[in-house]
């Protein structure tokens, strides 16, 4: 039986532990990105961090918010999703600014839905169109440059479109139980695949230079904690199954850190000019 901490408030050790765990769920989700943010800010190099990590989490947490309307789960998990989305936009904002500063040759702006006047002006400059000639208007929806845009607003616009469409479909099918369950599974499976873009980037470069190892270690610890939390709190099955998959991918990234350690050290020396 729990010790009574205060007869007036009726607080118990169980309550305090529960609140602490809930707070850890909210704050613990964003904590791994603090060392990665600081590293990018310090080195002014964002190439080692995959923006697809941000895309994965934005989609996953947006779907998880929609899932809440169909099947209510604990409020701390809902708050965690909102806070995580804000954090991902902060990471994207930093990476976009850093990459802009590091551009040696100014290339054409890549944006989600190109503003006709801006794109026309660029095309006019390239084709030599001047005076009264009106260059053709162009909308940059090339899949090759999806999620590789050069302005922060494009990422916000993309997620706004996704959120509005998702909300509309969820509103229409909110009474269909299989659909709601599918949304929950899709949200958590997407989050579980969080490490996949980073694994692919590391494999492509054969190095983990630019990626914060502290971030990955904190990912692993956080994912183990939340998976245990899901089991103890009897969260929907989708939560703990996908949590287990996420831990597995974290372990793969840590193995890459060890496997590519020599390449990473060489890349670090090259960047420092040693």
């Amino acid at each position: 039986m729990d010790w009574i901490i205060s007869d007036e408030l009726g607080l118990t050790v169980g309550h305090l532990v529960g609140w602490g765990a809930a707070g850890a769920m909210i704050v613990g989700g964003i904590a791994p990105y603090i060392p990665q943010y600081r590293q990018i800010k310090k080195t002014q190099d964002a190439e080692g961090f995959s923006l697809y990590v941000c895309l994965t989490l934005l989609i996953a947490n947006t779907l998880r918010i929609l899932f809440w309307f169909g099947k209510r789960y604990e409020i701390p998990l809902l708050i965690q999703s909102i806070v995580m989305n804000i954090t991902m936009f902060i990471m994207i904002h930093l990476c976009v600014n850093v990459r802009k500063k590091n551009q040696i040759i100014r290339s054409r702006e890549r944006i989600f839905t190109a503003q006709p006047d801006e794109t026309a002006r660029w095309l006019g400059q390239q084709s030599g169109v001047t005076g009264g000639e009106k260059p053709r208007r162009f909308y940059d929806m090339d899949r090759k440059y999806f999620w590789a845009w050069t302005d922060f607003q494009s990422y916000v616009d993309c997620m706004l479109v996704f959120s509005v469409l998702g909300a509309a479909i969820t509103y229409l099918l909110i009474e269909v139980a299989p659909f709601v369950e599918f949304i929950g599974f899709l949200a958590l499976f997407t989050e579980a695949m969080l490490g996949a873009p980073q694994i692919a980037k590391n494999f492509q470069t054969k190095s983990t230079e630019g990626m914060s190892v502290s971030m990955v270690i904190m990912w692993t610890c956080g994912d183990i904690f939340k998976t245990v939390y899901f089991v103890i709190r009897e969260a929907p099955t989708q939560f703990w199954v996908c949590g287990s998959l996420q831990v597995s991918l974290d372990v793969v990234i840590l193995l890459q850190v060890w496997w590519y350690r020599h390449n990473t050290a060489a890349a670090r020396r090259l960047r420092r000019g040693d």
Side-chain angles (χ1 to χ4, degrees), residues 120-135:
R121 189 183 305 117
W122 187 90
L123 288 170
Q125 291 171 353
Q126 301 305 307
S127 60
V129 175
T130 57
E133 297 182 60
K134 187 177 181 180

Side-chain angles (χ1 to χ4, degrees), residues 8-9 47 55 93 106 114 124 196 203 212 218 236 261:
E8 293 181 2
L9 297 178
E47 295 307 314
L55 174 63
H93 186 265
R106 183 174 176 79
F203 178 77
S212 171
M218 293 174 75
R261 64 191 185 279

